Amino acid sequence: MERKDSFTIIDNRTGKSYEIPLVSGHLPAPELRQIKVDPEEYGTMAYAPGFMNVASCKSAITYIDGDRGILWYRGYPIEELAENCTFLEVAYLLIHGELPTQDQLQQWEQSILDNYDVPEDIKNLIGTFRHDAHPMGMLISAVAALSTFYPEAKRVRDPENRMVQIRRLIAKVPTIAAYAYRRAMSLPYVYPDASLNYTENFMHMLWKPPHRAYKPHPVLARALDVLFILHADHEQNCSTHTMRSVGSSEADPYVAVAAAAAALSGPLHGGANEAVLRMLKEIGSKENVPAYIKKVKEGHGRLMGFGHRVYKNYDPRARIIKRMADQVFEVTGRNPLLDIALELERIALEDEYFVTRKLYPNVDFYSGIIYQAMGFDPSWFTVLFAIPRTVGWLAQWNEQMADPEQKIARPRQIYTGYQKRSFVPMDQRVAQAATA
Ligand code: CMC
């Protein structure tokens, strides 16, 4: 039989048949609209809450094979990048598409370094938050506020201009995060140190004591750098989708990154690392693990740090982090929560509930234990996710802006409300139970 790159759909309501040509091997949803019973009706739509199994773009940045537990950035396996690269080298790869040469890397590092500092008024803005403000709220607000300092960022169709904003954002997000951290501790702003690499400089801005020099521990700095590499991109997740959705209206990248960070902050996404720590604390000891798992299986809450929309196998990032934990604990001392986490993983991976649903530890399961051992409060964990993910958001946004097939995001809905009804004047209304 001759192979045709199309589907034939038979509408059993009318007996009509439609031949729909595939796009890159997939069904183009707009074509479904021609399938209708009455020529006057709108036509058929695809229905997918949470965009399950719907591709919203073509992308050459990140590849995930969720069944085999594979993650590549620009074709390079995540394990090799984590082993051999610095975070800024990987950032260059994600943004530009190729690994940098030595010269290109030096120029790239310098261009980031030149942009570390933030405007004085951004520092003032951070200074206005309550002492107990959640760090993600501060980060989101301050990144959005950067938009007011760089009005030229609105020229999003200009590739050179986009690169200027990309470098600024990659450089300034850690500075904002570090100052928000200092602010919460009532400590003064620490100026960036140009002699340090990206991650070391971040640690310096966080932890430099007043009137004394600070040298980040090389093992911890490398561990944070690797964690940043692992979190840098993950194709079309909730926050990246938000970045593209906001970006599709040609909003500037500062407000788009702020929106993406807001999406990241939820406990089902980047907020999961914080939720994992709280869960491990609540469990309290290895002995309580079976009872906790029983509760989850009975529908009381979820095992945080477990499960993934795409991975139906061990998350390769979780495997790298788990191995790295030992190196970190040699410096910091062992985090006692690790024993609870290991026991949780051991029992869950043998349990029929988790096995049949293919629920494995994800990136957030072990990262928080390392962050806590390094000295971060759990409320900061999602900020540590947002810093490297800013690179992924920007790479995806840059790709989107250059993609002629992209359009403003505008899903449809299946309307389930009333049909047209007559307006009821106030004096004739009767209180009704709320319907939504
Ligand atoms: N604990 C217990 N049961 C779970 C869990 C979990 N963590 N995750 C999924 N399930 C069950 C769920 O109850 C459902 O069972 P049933 O079929 O009996 O109704 C089944 O597994 C499928 O779950 P789903 O909610 O339809 O899956 P999803 O793809 O919509 O959700 C997820 C993916 C990541 C939101 C979910 O697994 C989850 O809530 N995990 C915990 C939060 C978490 O760790 N999030 C971090 C994700 S990785 C980092 C990132 O991208 O941000």
Side-chain angles (χ1 to χ4, degrees):
M1 198 176 103
E2 187 202 346
R3 183 195 151 113
K4 277 176 137 186
D5 279 332
S6 65
F7 285 163
T8 299
I9 297 181
I10 297 170
D11 184 345
N12 292 324
R13 298 169 302 178
T14 59
K16 272 174 78 176
S17 134
Y18 302 82
E19 182 171 349
I20 302 191
L22 302 184
V23 174
S24 308
H26 298 278
L27 182 70
E31 294 293 332
L32 296 176
R33 219 181 138 182
Q34 60 184 294
I35 304 174
K36 49 177 90 173
V37 176
D38 179 342
E40 295 301 311
E41 75 188 30
Y42 177 82
T44 305
M45 296 182 289
Y47 176 58
F51 304 102
M52 295 271 288
N53 201 36
V54 172
S56 63
C57 62
K58 293 176 182 165
S59 179
I61 300 172
T62 291
Y63 174 76
I64 303 174
D65 181 334
D67 292 325
R68 291 194 290 155
I70 284 174
L71 170 61
W72 303 338
Y73 294 163
R74 301 283 190 185
Y76 294 104
I78 190 68
E79 294 80 2
E80 291 180 34
L81 296 172
E83 183 71 33
N84 298 300
C85 293
T86 62
F87 171 69
L88 275 191
E89 206 176 338
V90 171
Y92 183 100
L93 171 71
L94 286 167
I95 300 283
H96 295 276
E98 297 296 338
L99 284 167
T101 63
Q102 192 62 52
D103 283 353
Q104 286 170 327
L105 181 60
Q106 258 167 18
Q107 277 177 30
W108 171 246
E109 286 172 344
Q110 186 62 45
S111 70
I112 301 294
L113 195 151
D114 290 343
N115 279 293
Y116 275 152
D117 213 1
V118 294
E120 211 53 43
D121 284 339
I122 291 288
K123 296 173 201 164
N124 295 339
L125 172 74
I126 294 171
T128 61
F129 285 101
R130 283 167 54 112
H131 70 282
D132 58 352
H134 194 282
M136 281 304 282
M138 292 194 267
L139 181 78
I140 292 162
S141 311
V143 171
L146 281 178
S147 157
T148 63
F149 292 85
Y150 307 113
E152 78 283 5
K154 293 186 175 27
R155 286 190 283 110
V156 295
R157 296 290 170 192
D158 172 351
E160 272 180 39
N161 183 47
R162 284 205 299 272
M163 286 311 299
V164 172
Q165 315 311 328
I166 286 172
R167 290 191 289 264
R168 278 190 185 141
L169 269 157
I170 294 174
K172 292 185 196 316
V173 165
T175 310
I176 288 173
Y179 184 48
Y181 184 91
R182 304 274 300 185
R183 167 74 201 158
M185 312 269 168
S186 302
L187 291 168
Y189 179 79
V190 171
Y191 280 90
D193 181 337
S195 70
L196 299 172
N197 79 19
Y198 188 80
T199 317
E200 289 169 340
N201 176 58
F202 176 54
M203 294 169 81
H204 157 84
M205 289 188 293
L206 285 170
W207 289 317
K208 186 194 164 314
H211 314 302
R212 270 195 290 136
Y214 170 78
K215 182 94 188 91
H217 193 291
V219 171
L220 301 187
R222 178 61 193 155
L224 195 56
D225 213 50
V226 172
L227 282 160
F228 279 5
I229 292 171
L230 301 181
H231 285 87
D233 194 48
H234 213 230
E235 52 118 306
Q236 307 312 313
N237 51 77
C238 177
S239 57
T240 302
H241 169 72
T242 304
M243 179 81 197
R244 282 182 173 261
S245 187
V246 176
S248 76
S249 74
E250 301 195 354
D252 76 58
Y254 298 96
V255 292
V257 166
L264 186 76
S265 68
L268 297 191
H269 190 9
N273 50 18
E274 182 179 343
V276 169
L277 245 280
R278 300 201 191 289
M279 174 186 77
L280 295 176
K281 272 200 180 143
E282 186 192 329
I283 296 174
S285 78
K286 264 169 75 171
E287 293 65 45
N288 297 334
V289 168
Y292 193 85
I293 289 192
K294 184 165 173 281
K295 227 172 64 178
V296 167
K297 283 163 55 180
E298 286 167 357
H300 305 296
R302 291 196 158 194
L303 204 51
M304 299 312 287
F306 258 70
H308 199 275
R309 171 63 60 78
V310 182
Y311 290 121
K312 300 301 168 199
N313 200 325
Y314 213 101
D315 182 335
R317 302 166 300 173
R319 191 169 277 124
I320 298 170
I321 295 178
K322 193 175 168 187
R323 274 202 307 264
M324 212 170 59
D326 291 332
Q327 295 162 26
V328 170
F329 295 153
E330 266 183 36
V331 178
T332 62
R334 193 176 165 85
N335 186 335
L337 295 179
L338 180 67
D339 293 325
I340 302 174
L342 289 170
E343 182 69 353
L344 208 53
E345 178 185 333
R346 189 186 68 76
I347 296 185
L349 292 187
E350 286 173 355
D351 190 294
E352 199 246 338
Y353 175 97
F354 295 90
V355 173
T356 52
R357 288 171 180 75
K358 298 188 175 163
L359 300 171
Y360 292 86
N362 60 48
V363 69
D364 291 320
F365 192 63
Y366 287 107
S367 59
I369 299 175
I370 295 187
Y371 291 142
Q372 193 186 45
M374 283 179 173
F376 290 103
D377 181 79
S379 61
W380 285 90
F381 295 174
T382 313
V383 172
L384 299 172
F385 193 153
I387 294 169
R389 184 55 61 85
T390 297
V391 168
W393 293 329
L394 291 166
Q396 299 272 348
W397 168 76
N398 196 38
E399 179 180 65
Q400 173 190 26
M401 288 299 115
D403 179 352
E405 288 184 11
Q406 280 299 309
K407 289 182 160 306
I408 186 165
R410 199 344 177 155
R412 299 303 310 247
Q413 61 169 10
I414 298 173
Y415 177 67
T416 60
Y418 289 110
Q419 290 307 306
K420 188 179 173 201
R421 51 181 176 162
S422 300
F423 178 75
V424 184
M426 181 71 82
D427 59 1
Q428 292 169 29
R429 288 178 209 165
V430 179
Q432 312 266 2
T435 51

